[in-house]
């Protein structure tokens, strides 16, 4: 008589990532205010180059140092934020980073000399990088729609930065005279971000599921960081030097053109958030090629016709369509805070 062999035990499926939290004001409110502040600071240096030249008497070849100081700080902070998140938590890291950001902005506003202004930009960049790394790690567990929403507010802040400079320059009577008020406004936004985080709280960190091998994760992170490094270099570089270039070729309103560029980029993030749940991330990223081609064509305006650049700014920002908000969602599942901070470092 044959004895039936016991049925093999079913293979245990890997644990699934927690379901996305509902997109409520309590979930994204603090992040929206925070990313609005980050967007203003990130985009303000390029349009402010003429104001820095006037206020500190530096030449165009040296004025770019202040943007470099800012981005050095923002690149150095995310790895440190990744180490501190597990020990201190999101709230303390974000609070400390925003305090540093506000201190840097106030130092730029009050700096009597160019070296002190560079130091303030470095401190502000450290604060921005710390906040960005911590909040991206926190919102990774909320869902793609929440990440897209708060990043869209980053775009709104970037769009407002040139307009803020134009408004403060008009109030003060000169670009250099309006520079302190613009950076004081950024410090106030940092304070409002801290208040919003205290009132509504911040999302908890997504626990690492461990379902992916460390080697595969390192390969994914390296590819992701490389793509993000190239992407942010083009995005921020275009916005940083556009105002200076437009002023050199005789455009009447460089700040408005730069604002239109960031506005197009913000629209691209909103549109991609609508498509992200229906299109695979790979196709979404590859689809950028079509929009990039149109953006490249729109940027090929002759120097003799600067008015055409006003119409090309929004399509240029829109050409970042399928890559900007889709990148966090593609890297969300199973990512530890250190992985997120490494990705934020590439974005800095």
């Amino acid at each position: 008589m044959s004895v039936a062999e016991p049925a093999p035990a079913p293979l245990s499926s890997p644990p699934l990532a927690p379901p996305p939290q509902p997109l409520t004001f309590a979930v994204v409110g603090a992040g929206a205010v925070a990313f609005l502040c980050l967007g203003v600071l990130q985009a303000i240096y390029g349009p402010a180059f003429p104001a820095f030249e006037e206020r500190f008497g530096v030449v165009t070849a040296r004025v770019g140092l202040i943007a470099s100081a800012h981005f050095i700080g923002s690149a150095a902070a995310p790895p440190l934020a990744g180490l501190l998140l597990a020990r201190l938590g999101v709230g303390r890291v974000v609070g400390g980073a925003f305090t540093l950001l506000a201190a840097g902005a106030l130092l730029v506003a009050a700096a009597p000399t160019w070296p002190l202004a560079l130091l303030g930009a470095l401190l502000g960049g450290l604060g921005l990088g710390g906040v960005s790394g911590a909040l991206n790690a926190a919102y990774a567990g909320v869902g793609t729609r929440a990440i897209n929403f708060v990043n869209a507010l980053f775009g709104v802040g970037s769009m407002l930065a040139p307009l803020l400079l134009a408004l403060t320059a008009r109030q003060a009577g000169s670009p250099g005279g309006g520079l302190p008020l613009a950076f004081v406004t950024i410090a106030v936004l940092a304070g409002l971000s801290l208040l919003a985080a205290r009132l509504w709280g911040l999302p908890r960190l997504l626990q690492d599921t461990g379902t992916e091998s460390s080697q595969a994760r390192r390969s994914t992170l390296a590819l992701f960081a490389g793509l993000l490094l190239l992407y942010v270099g083009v995005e921020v570089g275009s916005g940083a030097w556009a105002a200076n270039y437009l002023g050199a070729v005789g455009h009447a309103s460089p700040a408005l053109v730069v604002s239109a560029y960031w506005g197009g980029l913000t629209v691209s993030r909103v549109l991609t958030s609508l498509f992200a749940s229906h299109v695979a991330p790979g196709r979404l990223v590859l689809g950028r090629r079509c929009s990039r081609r149109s953006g490249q064509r729109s940027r090929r305006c002759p120097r003799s016709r600067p008015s055409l650049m006003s119409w090309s700014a929004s399509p240029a920002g829109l050409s970042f369509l399928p890559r900007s908000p889709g990148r966090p969602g593609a890297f969300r599942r199973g990512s530890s805070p250190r992985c997120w901070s490494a990705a934020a470092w590439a974005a800095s």
Side-chain angles (χ1 to χ4, degrees):
M1 174 187 265
S2 61
V3 179
E5 296 181 359
L11 296 176
S12 59
S13 58
L16 297 176
Q21 300 180 29
L23 190 60
T24 62
F25 188 79
V27 173
V28 299
V33 179
F35 274 90
L36 180 71
C37 175
L38 298 186
V40 175
L41 179 60
Q42 185 86 335
I44 201 168
Y45 283 102
F49 282 168
F52 283 116
E53 292 176 7
E54 176 187 312
R55 183 173 178 82
F56 296 101
V58 294
V59 296
T60 304
R62 292 187 58 197
V63 73
L65 290 176
I66 197 161
S68 298
H70 167 79
F71 288 116
I72 288 172
S74 66
L80 180 61
L83 295 175
L84 294 177
L85 278 173
R87 297 183 180 182
L88 302 180
V90 177
R92 290 183 178 180
V93 173
V94 170
F98 260 127
T99 302
L100 196 60
L101 188 155
L106 290 176
L107 181 56
V108 173
T113 62
W114 181 240
L116 283 178
L118 295 179
L119 177 60
L122 179 65
L123 293 178
L126 285 169
L128 182 144
V131 174
S132 176
L135 288 184
N136 275 310
Y139 276 99
V142 179
T144 305
R145 289 182 60 198
I147 295 176
N148 291 334
F149 179 80
V150 295
N151 275 276
L153 266 294
F154 179 92
V156 172
S158 301
M159 182 174 59
L160 293 176
L163 302 180
L164 172 64
L165 283 171
L167 178 62
T168 55
R170 180 175 297 181
Q171 292 291 330
S174 67
L179 198 62
L181 181 57
F183 278 87
V184 168
T185 303
I186 293 175
V188 171
L189 286 175
L192 292 176
S193 301
L194 288 174
L195 179 61
R198 190 171 185 85
L199 289 176
W200 298 311
L202 295 168
R204 293 176 296 179
L205 287 176
L206 178 68
Q207 297 299 320
D208 191 357
T209 59
T211 58
E212 189 178 7
S213 67
S214 59
Q215 182 177 0
R217 186 171 301 172
R218 283 194 296 268
S219 300
T220 303
L221 176 61
L223 176 62
F224 180 83
L227 290 173
L228 195 54
L229 184 68
L230 294 174
Y231 165 81
V232 175
V234 176
E235 173 194 298
V236 177
S238 300
W241 284 100
N244 218 47
Y245 172 76
L246 291 171
V249 298
H251 196 281
S253 304
L256 294 179
V257 177
V258 176
S259 181
Y261 164 78
W262 289 111
L265 192 141
T266 303
V267 171
S268 77
R269 298 188 175 195
V270 175
L271 291 177
T272 306
S273 68
L274 300 177
F275 302 144
S277 59
H278 305 288
V279 183
R283 292 184 178 181
L284 198 62
V285 173
L286 291 177
R288 179 180 180 270
R289 182 173 180 83
C290 297
S291 61
R292 183 186 65 181
R293 288 305 246 176
S294 63
Q296 287 176 339
R297 290 181 181 276
S298 68
R299 286 192 292 265
R300 293 174 182 172
C301 298
R303 292 172 60 97
S304 59
R305 302 183 65 184
S307 61
L308 291 179
M309 298 177 186
S310 303
W311 299 100
S312 70
S314 292
L318 195 63
S319 68
F320 291 97
L321 171 62
R323 196 173 289 182
S324 51
R327 64 193 186 222
F331 198 66
R332 179 174 66 91
R333 181 169 295 184
S335 299
S336 66
R338 290 187 181 183
C339 291
W340 262 107
S341 62
W345 167 84
S348 302

